[in-house]
Amino acid sequence: MGTLTPVSFLYAALKLRTQMAWAALTLYLVGTVTMIATSGPTGPAGDALFVASMLLNTLGGTVHAFTIRRRVFPRPDPVAYGNDQAIQFAQHRRELRQEARELAEQDPGLAMELRIGRPDLPRRYDDGGLVDLNHAPAAVIATLPGMTPELVEQILEARQVVGTFSSAVEVCVTANLPADLTSPLTEYTIYLP
């Protein structure tokens, strides 16, 4: 019958903190008090006040609640929400790469068995998108940021000469790669023996 309408508008007033929200709360409180005060046998005037306060709190409160609903419970911006998810996903992938590097440092044999850095092979372990520059084929190396067919060929030639790399800096120096590739290679590569 609308006796709890003020509870909804108390929440709205606390959330919005506007004079209009506090005024609405006061109006619905008066309606509830009037409804309770006139609920007994009070005669025709009391009955009219009861019906009016009940209509105010039930119908008026319902319409008013739907009117202010979006301000009290705003929807997140779908683009911003999508961007937040994308950022969280990218951060998760970064954490997976770091965990895979730590595992490879502690136990290179296990890293080889898990095929860390080898997306070209069947595997179950998610390494966050690492590429093992010591063992990955050209097609996988080509997926790294900034890679061109010429740069991939330079890496493969340097790998034949050196055998194995130990870091992105060594790859860039040995294969004569542009200096701006050092950072992406550091982020996305691993160097298993």
Side-chain angles (χ1 to χ4, degrees):
M1 291 179 40
T3 56
L4 294 178
T5 300
V7 174
S8 299
F9 284 89
L10 173 62
Y11 181 81
L14 290 171
K15 184 120 186 213
L16 297 175
R17 299 197 180 279
T18 63
Q19 288 182 349
M20 289 298 291
W22 290 107
L25 170 63
T26 303
L27 176 68
Y28 295 120
L29 275 172
V30 168
T32 299
V33 169
T34 303
M35 201 179 344
I36 292 170
T38 59
S39 63
T42 56
D47 290 344
L49 275 173
F50 177 81
V51 170
S53 60
M54 184 181 71
L55 289 174
L56 169 75
N57 277 25
T58 55
L59 296 178
T62 301
V63 170
H64 192 186
F66 277 108
T67 304
I68 66 169
R69 175 180 56 160
R70 293 281 183 246
R71 289 187 306 165
V72 176
F73 303 104
R75 286 186 177 171
D77 178 17
V79 172
Y81 182 70
N83 287 344
D84 289 343
Q85 284 186 324
I87 290 169
Q88 289 175 358
F89 181 72
Q91 288 172 336
H92 174 67
R93 301 291 291 166
R94 182 181 287 167
E95 290 168 7
L96 289 174
R97 288 191 294 274
Q98 184 57 37
E99 288 172 11
R101 281 191 192 94
E102 290 170 4
L103 187 141
E105 187 177 309
Q106 294 168 4
D107 192 343
L110 179 60
M112 294 288 281
E113 187 174 330
L114 292 172
R115 298 178 179 155
I116 291 176
R118 296 299 307 272
D120 56 308
L121 300 176
R123 61 188 182 158
R124 291 186 182 158
Y125 186 83
D126 186 355
D127 59 18
L130 286 174
V131 173
D132 180 5
L133 278 188
N134 289 332
H135 301 98
V140 173
I141 296 171
T143 64
L144 290 168
M147 282 294 133
T148 64
E150 294 80 20
L151 295 176
V152 172
E153 190 59 37
Q154 287 174 231
I155 291 171
L156 294 175
E157 288 173 7
R159 188 167 75 182
Q160 285 180 350
V161 172
V162 174
T164 59
F165 300 112
S166 61
S167 69
V169 173
E170 182 185 1
V171 172
C172 287
V173 170
T174 307
N176 197 25
L177 301 179
D180 62 340
L181 282 180
T182 306
S183 180
L185 287 179
T186 301
E187 179 65 34
Y188 292 104
T189 59
I190 192 166
Y191 305 89
L192 294 173

